[in-house]
Amino acid sequence: MTIFSAAQIKEWDNYTMTHTPMLSIDLMERAAVACFEWIKKKIIRNKNIIIFCGKGNNGGDGLAVARLLLNDGYNVKIYIPHIEKKGSVDFELNLKRLYEVINNIHFIKNNADLPVIDKDEVVIDALFGTGLHNAVEGLYKTIIDHINQSRVLVISIDLPSGLLTDEASSGSIVRADHTLTFEQYKLALLMAENEEYFGHVVILSIGLSPDFAANTYSPYTLITQTTIAQIFKPRKAFSHKGTYGHAATIAGSYGMMGAAVLCTKACVRSGAGKVTIITCEKGYDIMQSSVPEAMCLTSVKKFIDRIKEVYKYSAIGIGPGLGKSKHAGKILKQLFSEFKKSIVVDADGLNTIAENDELKNAIPKQSILTPHPKEFDNLFGKCNNDFERLNLLMHSCAETNCYIILKGHHTAIATPGGKVYLNDNG
């Protein structure tokens, strides 16, 4: 699933309307129907629903949802900020349609016009969608703060109001329990810093053009079953362990053997034909009993101070539980100098590199670095937010000519070619 920017989403809408062809009000109705069908399944009819509608197209969606809910027997109250600016064309058209169903539409001029929200009521937030580019102010900020103070079930349409689509947000933002977004995830809905705002994300299809999605470039892709199917290589029936290479994991030190066990098990599980764990003497019994499938080579008692015959391995992973002693730097320097194939660097391997510019400049091209956010910041520079870190991630891949796996709830796998694959399924 490609992740588009706010500008591309607007282009997608326009492309769909041009090539279907259809009017923008009809596309808005599709979005409203999709939201209505979801709400109808989740919210019982005896619940009172309060809908806050902005005066743009997101507000138009909210007005259309209100009309559909009223026609289906729900008790709905509609509140619109009373500002001088005229609403969008489709907002005004949906407002006219709504007046044919209900006359009692409330306009908020100031704090006194804000509704009392009962604890059993449901709020639908349709103030702003992907078209927002700045922090909200004035009356809109007042309404958002009022929604958040109500502590009731909140459903946001497209995005929680106040949340920016593809950059860091600030100021007042609706804290939604559910976000009903259209066609695909928005980048903001995959960022850890926004977790408190979007709640449970629901993707609703509204029939946007698949041709546009297939032929429009974005650096961001959400990994799906289709993505995996394209790269999955089934095993041949007559293959054996020698067919699938010999990997080495250089990991562990006294007191930190758990990391060595986990990474070696993962290496075996991922499909390496043969695996050798290179660790300290104190870890020998632990490794032989925990991962009997792996061969075990040991160094001195409590840490690893040497590796031999690195040329015989197909790939090497280094770092988990390694510690940050001078010996770790010595091993990395040897490995970067002597091993000319794939290297995966993790954990203390990364921490050691971060403290040594000579090592950082010597990382072999096409290596795979697997930092969590703090390790990433130590390596490439401190970031103020997830979006800044994502941009630096792409720049760092290009600069080092390495693949970087930035670990997190939605792990970001970045390539030297400028692509970022986001994994939301573990």
Side-chain angles (χ1 to χ4, degrees):
M1 179 189 292
T2 306
I3 307 298
F4 290 134
S5 66
Q8 287 175 314
I9 291 164
K10 188 174 181 179
E11 290 174 18
W12 198 2
D13 287 347
N14 292 333
Y15 183 95
T16 301
M17 289 183 285
T18 302
H19 290 79
T20 305
M22 69 187 317
L23 298 174
S24 58
I25 191 69
D26 298 324
L27 187 58
M28 186 175 285
E29 191 71 10
R30 281 190 191 178
V33 168
C35 292
F36 164 70
E37 293 291 348
W38 185 90
I39 293 166
K40 194 165 68 166
K41 291 175 183 176
K42 300 293 180 180
I43 308 299
I44 57 177
R45 276 187 180 78
N46 63 0
K47 286 277 188 183
N48 293 332
I49 297 176
I50 299 174
I51 305 183
F52 292 93
C53 298
K55 298 187 80 172
N57 282 347
N58 191 251
D61 291 338
L63 295 176
V65 169
R67 171 171 41 81
L68 293 166
L69 287 169
L70 285 164
N71 285 334
D72 202 57
Y74 282 86
N75 183 25
V76 180
K77 299 175 186 175
I78 301 98
Y79 287 84
I80 301 170
H82 185 74
I83 56 174
E84 291 183 6
K85 184 179 177 182
K86 191 175 176 65
S88 69
V89 173
D90 291 338
F91 170 89
E92 295 294 341
L93 183 49
N94 264 317
L95 183 59
K96 182 180 177 182
R97 289 179 177 180
L98 186 59
Y99 269 123
E100 294 171 2
V101 178
I102 186 173
N103 287 320
N104 193 18
I105 298 174
H106 307 272
F107 289 88
I108 303 171
K109 296 179 182 177
N110 50 48
N111 287 25
D113 296 327
L114 291 168
V116 174
I117 304 173
D118 186 80
K119 65 178 182 179
D120 293 324
E121 292 181 317
V122 175
V123 166
I124 294 179
D125 154 40
L127 293 168
F128 294 106
T130 56
L132 186 67
H133 300 292
N134 300 292
V136 295
E137 298 176 343
L139 187 55
Y140 281 105
K141 179 183 185 304
T142 300
I143 295 170
I144 289 173
D145 291 342
H146 183 65
I147 292 171
N148 287 339
Q149 288 161 11
S150 71
R151 301 186 182 278
V152 299
L153 182 73
V154 177
I155 301 168
S156 286
I157 295 178
D158 208 11
L159 282 178
S161 293
L163 192 67
L164 305 183
T165 309
D166 36 36
E167 57 184 296
S169 303
S170 60
S172 293
I173 301 167
V174 168
R175 290 183 171 87
D177 296 285
H178 302 279
T179 298
L180 311 184
T181 199
F182 304 121
E183 220 64 65
Q184 57 161 229
Y185 272 95
K186 313 305 183 281
L187 198 56
L189 301 176
L190 295 166
M191 297 293 106
E193 66 190 50
N194 294 330
E195 181 183 12
E196 65 183 296
Y197 305 118
F198 52 71
H200 172 233
V201 178
V202 181
I203 310 293
L204 300 175
S205 177
I206 58 172
L208 294 183
S209 169
D211 291 340
F212 180 92
N215 295 297
T216 302
Y217 174 79
S218 169
Y220 304 110
T221 299
L222 186 70
I223 295 173
T224 62
Q225 291 287 346
T226 303
T227 317
I228 300 304
Q230 290 170 349
I231 62 173
F232 178 70
K233 295 179 181 178
R235 298 246 153 159
K236 295 180 179 179
F238 289 91
S239 62
H240 52 84
K241 66 181 182 181
T243 309
Y244 299 108
H246 186 177
T249 55
I250 304 171
S253 57
Y254 185 67
M256 292 195 289
M257 289 307 300
V261 170
L262 291 171
C263 84
T264 305
K265 281 185 174 181
C267 189
V268 172
R269 178 78 178 184
S270 69
K274 294 186 286 185
V275 178
T276 293
I277 169 68
I278 300 170
T279 192
C280 61
E281 276 185 22
K282 285 282 188 180
Y284 181 81
D285 289 343
I286 294 170
M287 295 308 305
Q288 289 291 75
S289 57
S290 299
V291 198
E293 304 97 315
M295 295 169 280
C296 190
L297 295 177
T298 60
S299 185
V300 294
K301 279 191 175 180
K302 294 189 176 182
F303 54 83
I304 306 165
D305 75 336
R306 65 182 185 276
I307 45 176
K308 297 179 180 178
E309 299 179 325
V310 295
Y311 60 84
K312 70 182 182 181
Y313 302 111
S314 311
I316 292 178
I318 183 169
L322 192 65
K324 290 194 292 181
S325 68
K326 62 181 180 181
H327 303 285
K330 172 184 161 187
I331 291 168
L332 281 163
K333 186 175 181 180
Q334 177 193 348
L335 191 62
F336 290 172
S337 172
E338 296 179 7
F339 193 69
K340 304 304 179 184
K341 302 171 191 172
S342 299
I343 300 175
V344 180
V345 188
D346 184 45
D348 285 333
L350 297 172
N351 293 328
T352 301
I353 292 171
E355 296 174 1
N356 188 319
D357 287 338
E358 183 184 355
L359 283 175
K360 187 174 179 180
N361 294 328
I363 300 171
K365 307 303 180 189
Q366 301 290 295
S367 289
I368 300 170
L369 313 180
T370 63
H372 57 55
K374 187 175 180 181
E375 290 167 344
F376 179 87
D377 287 359
N378 288 340
L379 269 171
F380 298 110
K382 186 169 177 55
C383 298
N384 296 312
N385 57 68
D386 290 339
F387 292 89
E388 192 176 297
R389 189 174 290 110
L390 205 55
N391 288 328
L392 182 57
L393 171 67
M394 297 167 72
H395 173 77
S396 301
C397 280
E399 187 175 60
T400 61
N401 196 8
C402 289
Y403 295 84
I404 302 176
I405 300 174
L406 179 59
K407 295 181 288 194
H409 181 60
H410 294 307
T411 291
I413 305 162
T415 75
K419 289 286 290 182
V420 178
Y421 295 89
L422 294 152
N423 181 19
D424 74 332
N425 57 59

